[in-house]
Structures are given as C-alpha cells and as structure tokens.
Amino acid sequence: MISKTDIKQLSRLSTKKGRNEYGLYLIEGLRIIRSALRAQAPINRIFVTARFQETVDYQSMSNRFNKVLKPELIDEKTMKQITQTVTPSGILAVCSLPKKTELPSTLASNWLYLDKIADPGNLGTLLRSAAWFGTTQVALSSNCADPFNPKVIRSGMGAHFFLQMVTNCDLHQFKSSDHSIIGADHRGISIVNFNHSVKDWVLVVGSEAHGISKENSNHIEYSLSIPAKGSGNSLNAAVAGSIMLYCLNNL
C-alpha cells in the first residue's frame, strides 16, 4: 500500500526542484510506459488504478511486468494527486533521471540544438520528431524548458528513451568539430535549394518568440527557411524544426 510519505514525494516530482532532489521523474499513459518498457528504461515503480487494470490495454502489456516490477494498485484520488492532471490515464511510472552528461570529445553524427525553447509542448514535439527522423543526439541551451517536465514528457510520447540529451550546452562547443551549423530562420535560403557537404550537421532551432539568440547567431554557417506554398504568417517552432529535420535527414 502506498504511504502518505510516498504520495508527498511523488507529487513533488511535478516540479523541477522535486525531480532534482529525488533524481526521479514521472511518466504517464499507456503508450509512453510501453515505450519505456521496450527501451528498458530505468523504471522504479508502476502504479495503476482498478479502472485501468480492467482494460484491454492493460491486459495487452501485463506480460511485460515481472515480480520485481509489479504494478501497485492505487485509487483514482491518489493518482490525480500524484499526477496533478485533470483526467489521469490510470497508469503511472516513476523513472530515474539520467546522469547529466557533457558533449563527447568526438562529436560524431548529426545533432539537434534547441536554443531557449521555453514552451514544454514545443520542446516535447521537437524531441519526438528528432527520435522519429533518427537524429538521436540533442543539445539544449540554458533557459530551455526542463526536458523532464511532465508536459514535455507527454508531448515527447516516449522519445526520451531513445535520445542522448546534453543540457546547458553552448553552441560554440560545436565550432571545434567539423559540423555544419545550420539555423532555422525564415529569412534564410530555401532548404529545398540547399546542398550541404557530406559532413555532419547541427540544426539550431530558436525560441518561439525571438528565434535564434544573438549569442548563437554568430555561429550559424547556413540559415535555412521553409518556403510557403499557401498563406499564413509563420510556422510554429516545433513544426518548422520537425520539417527541417525531415529534409536534412533526406537530402
């Protein structure tokens, strides 16, 4: 049976301070937890409600559980208290935060660099797109949203378990590598007409409100845009970044 102390601790994981204090974060929902199990992510505990336990979805994944990772039954009120969501899905897991890493000395492969992406939904979507298009190395500048914020986790839909992320990273650290540093910029040349060399690249996506920051714009070698075919003012940062990831991975 879950204790009041456990509930208090788990509730604090909805805050960055609580996650850093305990070295844990929450994932919620069938699809994300299924991805975590498939990726053999460091899951410590799983909680389910009686309602969810009766669903076909639960039965379909029950064979993935074992005696060590046996789901614990909690009531709907407790689930809502822990997740702090209006309508919890009915299944919740507690994972260990990955150890903080720095950029490797050898920067092989392509990278996505996120420059002060503040909106959790946009950050999660960009991580999801990076995983989908095979750009598994992601660097985040300071002042990005916390990648383990519950809203980022939900938007990422399991992408976190397939990415290597470096936080509080300065873009100039890539200058010593042989990467092409590419900025997503509506004033740049069309990505359709861009022919880059065979060397690896870093795609920089700037903040929703201000674009690529001044300190990082000096490091951009190529500014690329997405040509419009219809009307509208601009593309959302997550949408633009996702399209560019697709294009760069298919040039």
Side-chain angles (χ1 to χ4, degrees), residues 150-165:
K151 292 181 180 178
V152 178
I153 296 289
R154 286 196 293 272
S155 297
M157 288 302 294
H160 289 68
F161 312 119
F162 304 98
L163 298 173
Q164 299 293 321
M165 288 188 282

Side-chain angles (χ1 to χ4, degrees), residues 9-10 46 58 66 70-71 78 109 112 115-117 121 124 128 132-133 143 183 191 193 216 240 247:
Q9 174 182 324
L10 294 172
I46 294 180
Y58 178 81
N66 53 47
K70 186 177 180 180
T78 302
S109 75
L112 172 64
D115 185 10
K116 300 182 181 180
I117 300 293
R128 185 177 180 180
W132 184 261
F133 294 123
N143 298 318
I191 194 169
N193 301 322
N216 285 330
C247 293

Side-chain angles (χ1 to χ4, degrees), residues 4 17-18 74 85 119 143-144 173 185 221 238:
K4 289 183 179 180
K17 184 177 180 179
I74 59 174
T85 54
D119 182 85
N143 298 318
C144 273
Q173 292 176 260
D185 189 333
E221 297 176 59

Side-chain angles (χ1 to χ4, degrees), residues 77-148:
K77 181 180 178 181
T78 302
M79 177 70 77
K80 186 175 292 188
Q81 186 177 347
I82 294 171
T83 62
Q84 300 182 16
T85 54
V86 178
T87 309
S89 64
I91 183 168
L92 169 76
V94 184
C95 294
S96 296
L97 282 172
K99 293 180 180 179
K100 291 185 178 181
T101 59
E102 297 182 354
L103 282 179
S105 56
T106 302
L107 292 171
S109 75
N110 301 318
W111 284 74
L112 172 64
Y113 183 91
L114 303 177
D115 185 10
K116 300 182 181 180
I117 300 293
D119 182 85
N122 281 342
L123 178 54
T125 298
L126 284 162
L127 296 179
R128 185 177 180 180
S129 295
W132 184 261
F133 294 123
T135 304
T136 58
Q137 308 288 335
V138 180
L140 293 82
S141 74
S142 59
N143 298 318
C144 273
D146 179 6
F148 296 97

Side-chain angles (χ1 to χ4, degrees), residues 9-226:
Q9 174 182 324
L10 294 172
S11 299
R12 281 178 50 75
L13 299 184
S14 293
T15 68
K16 184 175 182 178
K17 184 177 180 179
R19 290 189 292 275
N20 290 336
E21 179 181 352
Y22 295 110
L24 303 170
Y25 68 102
L26 301 175
I27 57 175
E28 181 189 355
L30 173 70
R31 291 176 63 187
I32 298 178
I33 292 175
R34 183 180 284 159
S35 292
L37 290 168
R38 188 185 312 125
Q40 299 183 333
I43 299 176
N44 299 323
R45 302 174 76 177
I46 294 180
F47 300 96
V48 296
T49 61
R51 170 182 56 82
F52 186 82
Q53 212 170 29
E54 296 173 357
T55 65
V56 174
D57 287 335
Y58 178 81
Q59 298 303 320
S60 70
M61 66 185 298
S62 59
N63 64 332
R64 293 182 177 269
F65 303 133
N66 53 47
K67 291 181 180 179
V68 177
L69 193 63
K70 186 177 180 180
E72 303 171 54
L73 191 64
I74 59 174
D75 59 41
E76 300 280 353
K77 181 180 178 181
T78 302
M79 177 70 77
K80 186 175 292 188
Q81 186 177 347
I82 294 171
T83 62
Q84 300 182 16
T85 54
V86 178
T87 309
S89 64
I91 183 168
L92 169 76
V94 184
C95 294
S96 296
L97 282 172
K99 293 180 180 179
K100 291 185 178 181
T101 59
E102 297 182 354
L103 282 179
S105 56
T106 302
L107 292 171
S109 75
N110 301 318
W111 284 74
L112 172 64
Y113 183 91
L114 303 177
D115 185 10
K116 300 182 181 180
I117 300 293
D119 182 85
N122 281 342
L123 178 54
T125 298
L126 284 162
L127 296 179
R128 185 177 180 180
S129 295
W132 184 261
F133 294 123
T135 304
T136 58
Q137 308 288 335
V138 180
L140 293 82
S141 74
S142 59
N143 298 318
C144 273
D146 179 6
F148 296 97
N149 176 311
K151 292 181 180 178
V152 178
I153 296 289
R154 286 196 293 272
S155 297
M157 288 302 294
H160 289 68
F161 312 119
F162 304 98
L163 298 173
Q164 299 293 321
M165 288 188 282
V166 178
T167 56
N168 295 316
C169 177
D170 291 324
L171 184 60
H172 73 77
Q173 292 176 260
F174 287 94
K175 294 296 287 185
S176 60
S177 71
D178 196 34
H179 286 68
S180 296
I181 300 181
I182 299 168
D185 189 333
H186 69 279
R187 297 162 297 188
I189 65 170
S190 169
I191 194 169
V192 176
N193 301 322
F194 179 61
N195 292 310
H196 71 81
S197 63
V198 294
K199 67 180 181 178
D200 295 329
W201 45 262
V202 180
L203 173 63
V204 182
V205 179
S207 73
E208 300 83 356
H210 306 292
I212 296 171
S213 60
K214 287 184 179 180
E215 60 266 32
N216 285 330
S217 61
N218 296 327
H219 302 306
I220 302 299
E221 297 176 59
Y222 305 98
S223 293
L224 302 183
S225 64
I226 300 168

